Amino acid sequence: MATSEPRNIADISPPSDLPNHADFVIIGGGIIGLAVARQLLLSDERRSVAVLEKESTIATHQTGRSSGVVHAGIYYRPGSQKAELTRRSVGMLREYVETHGLPYIECGKLVIAASESEVPLLRDLEHRATANGVPGLEVVDRAGIERREPAAVGHLAIWSPTTAITDFVAIAERIALDVTTAGGMVISDAEVVDIAQSATKVGVVVGTERRLITAGVAVVCAGVQSDRLAVLAGDSAEPAVVPFRGEYLRLAAAKTELVRGLIYPVPDPNYPFLGVHLTRTVHGDVLVGPNAVLAFARDGYRWRDIEISHLRDLAGTAGFRHLAADHWRRGVVESWRSVNKRAYVRDVQRYVPGVAASDLVRARAGVRAQAVDRSGKLIDDFLVGRKERVVTVRNAPSPGATAALALAEDIAANAAAAI
Ligand SMILES: Cc1cc2nc3c(=O)[nH]c(=O)nc-3n(C[C@H](O)[C@H](O)[C@H](O)COP(=O)(O)OP(=O)(O)OC[C@H]3O[C@@H](n4cnc5c(N)ncnc54)[C@H](O)[C@@H]3O)c2cc1C
């Protein structure tokens, strides 16, 4: 395990420091926007780069609310962007955290088929993982499961020894420091409210005072807000981003010894979510989750967060109407599990029976930015689009934090080609 040292935090500028112009304006200070800014400066330090973040600090949305898992590349369709960029990024990420003394623990992961009926799906995952070049994989039986995770049970499991845990907020903060050290700007409280483009430049409008910044190229890395900003820039409303809340429970301190590393179920192949899992974090606690319930607001971290304009926009897209018609049953089940802790825990007890509802307290939630195509299909792969001088990250859900450094290389090359 690498040790943590006192963090160097980037000097994040207030909105009063907005420049009039930057070669590249990056909208969104999550791990992907920051990594794109860093990559643009690494490739050519003469560029002027400004990251605009609407919140008062960086990495507060998806990046700050993840499970903290450095995925090894098990699940993804061979040849997909997720498969290629995850495998490419793991090595880059590892080197990055080692260089900067950030936490990285290779605790390993079990993906458990709880019953014989799940074994064919587990075998499919094994084939994918092997094709993707995930190192050190083993298929283990009951005894092998118990040897690695004494509190876990199951029929058969994939053991991935190189799957790791880290602190993506600390990584994002360090990347922000790289950006400012290289002469770029990271500006907080700078919400982009409009975008316009001509043949030679992009106009980015910030805040209620409507301050204008001109840019050669704008890169939208705005998570759940990305499709909305793409529309402002003259791009299409679809694929739409549908926010799916993922709620976590935390295991009581007295029970954390039940979990040594990462314990996952076999995921439902019809959804791009990994199923409720048990995750040890680098801070020493154990999280259980996340589930996947439709959020009624883009930053809808609680059931009571409801944004009527967002629901109206969603209902106006063909993709969402198809999604709702095709998947409402699953939606009802997930919502039931969300409000009923016992139902949530019953799922977990299939592979870690020693966890009781009384051992768990509600913890934080995250909201995934999940793109849906016109037919209502949840888009599985990463998706980056470009409309003239505006590049938009349309879909970068999990393992987006793991893949951020490699994904940023591709996005930065795309943006540089548009200037
Ligand atoms: C519950 C959950 C668990 C996850 N677990 C993992 C995991 O274990 N491993 C993994 O690799 N990945 C995981 N992910 C996925 C990962 O967190 C994301 O892929 C990644 O953080 C995406 O980064 P981002 O920069 O695109 O988005 P974000 O971190 O959401 O950043 C987008 C930023 O844009 C800003 N913004 C939005 N609109 C505007 C505007 N108009 N003007 C200015 N700024 C704006 C937002 O405030 C935000 O800071 C998880 C995600 C969730 C939700």
Side-chain angles (χ1 to χ4, degrees):
M1 172 193 167
T3 51
S4 276
E5 51 185 38
R7 286 185 196 166
N8 290 316
I9 308 284
D11 190 11
I12 295 174
S13 308
S16 52
D17 283 1
L18 282 177
N20 294 322
H21 176 85
D23 297 335
F24 296 89
V25 165
I26 315 298
I27 304 169
I31 195 167
I32 295 179
L34 293 163
V36 170
R38 171 179 173 270
Q39 187 58 44
L40 283 163
L41 288 160
L42 274 179
S43 314
D44 185 344
E45 62 193 13
R46 291 163 307 175
R47 290 169 169 162
S48 55
V49 177
V51 179
L52 307 179
E53 167 52 52
K54 75 177 166 72
E55 306 294 348
S56 55
T57 184
I58 57 172
T60 50
H61 289 291
Q62 294 178 92
T63 303
R65 293 161 177 271
S66 84
S67 298
V69 176
V70 181
H71 289 286
I74 294 174
Y75 303 95
Y76 320 120
R77 185 176 49 76
S80 64
Q81 291 273 296
K82 275 191 178 174
E84 291 186 1
L85 295 174
T86 302
R87 285 304 316 141
R88 202 166 99 208
S89 208
V90 170
M92 295 167 75
L93 193 71
R94 200 183 163 136
E95 195 184 321
Y96 190 78
V97 295
E98 273 170 10
T99 307
H100 298 294
L102 298 169
Y104 190 95
I105 305 171
E106 266 189 3
C107 55
K109 160 170 167 173
L110 279 175
V111 184
I112 297 181
S115 66
E116 199 169 352
S117 63
E118 291 177 352
V119 170
L121 290 173
L122 190 82
R123 290 290 181 195
D124 285 349
L125 287 185
E126 182 199 355
H127 294 141
R128 283 188 170 199
T130 307
N132 293 341
V134 177
L137 277 191
E138 279 177 65
V139 172
V140 296
D141 60 8
R142 276 179 201 284
I145 293 173
E146 201 188 324
R147 204 162 45 248
R148 287 162 182 88
E149 288 283 0
V153 296
H155 197 78
L156 206 66
I158 292 174
W159 167 244
S160 166
T162 63
T163 301
I165 50 177
T166 190
D167 180 344
F168 286 119
V169 174
I171 293 173
E173 285 171 346
R174 179 63 230 194
I175 294 174
L177 181 60
D178 291 348
V179 171
T180 54
T181 306
M185 295 183 84
V186 179
I187 304 166
S188 65
D189 299 301
E191 179 170 4
V192 173
V193 294
D194 207 354
I195 306 176
Q197 49 176 329
S198 69
T200 52
K201 59 180 186 275
V202 185
V204 175
V205 181
V206 181
T208 45
E209 317 79 49
R210 300 188 66 81
R211 281 278 315 274
L212 176 71
I213 305 179
T214 59
V217 168
V219 187
V220 179
C221 305
V224 284
Q225 309 280 349
S226 287
D227 58 339
R228 187 182 272 176
L229 290 167
V231 170
L232 293 175
D235 207 341
S236 66
E238 296 194 74
V241 173
V242 177
F244 280 94
R245 185 169 57 250
E247 296 154 329
Y248 290 93
L249 302 171
R250 180 179 290 104
L251 206 50
K255 289 294 186 90
T256 54
E257 82 286 355
L258 284 175
V259 180
R260 289 183 177 170
L262 304 167
I263 308 176
Y264 281 60
V266 173
D268 181 338
N270 296 313
Y271 297 91
F273 310 127
L274 302 183
V276 168
H277 43 267
L278 294 102
T279 311
R280 186 163 273 281
T281 75
V282 290
H283 309 293
D285 48 0
V286 173
L287 295 175
V288 180
N291 56 359
V293 287
L294 185 66
F296 297 143
R298 285 183 188 254
D299 293 337
Y301 294 105
R302 300 164 304 180
W303 274 104
R304 62 175 181 274
D305 294 331
I306 299 172
E307 193 188 341
I308 301 296
S309 63
H310 158 65
L311 295 175
R312 210 178 30 231
D313 288 353
L314 264 190
T317 63
F320 181 74
R321 288 195 300 273
H322 285 297
L323 176 78
D326 295 347
H327 297 279
W328 66 269
R329 276 193 194 81
R330 169 71 182 239
V332 171
V333 172
E334 283 285 337
S335 304
W336 172 240
R337 280 203 312 196
S338 160
V339 291
N340 184 315
K341 194 160 90 175
R342 285 182 193 282
Y344 197 133
V345 172
R346 267 198 298 277
D347 262 18
V348 178
Q349 287 170 333
R350 292 179 65 231
Y351 45 103
V352 186
V355 173
S358 55
D359 299 330
L360 294 163
V361 290
R362 292 201 180 268
R364 62 167 190 240
V367 175
R368 306 172 181 86
Q370 174 61 54
V372 176
D373 72 14
R374 285 190 64 79
S375 72
K377 198 167 148 288
L378 299 174
I379 296 177
D380 195 19
D381 212 354
F382 296 143
L383 184 66
V384 179
R386 187 170 108 195
K387 175 86 175 172
E388 289 133 23
R389 289 174 172 270
V390 178
V391 177
T392 301
V393 178
R394 288 278 192 169
N395 198 45
S398 183
T402 302
L405 293 180
L407 188 54
E409 287 183 337
D410 292 6
I411 298 169
N414 192 343
I419 206 154

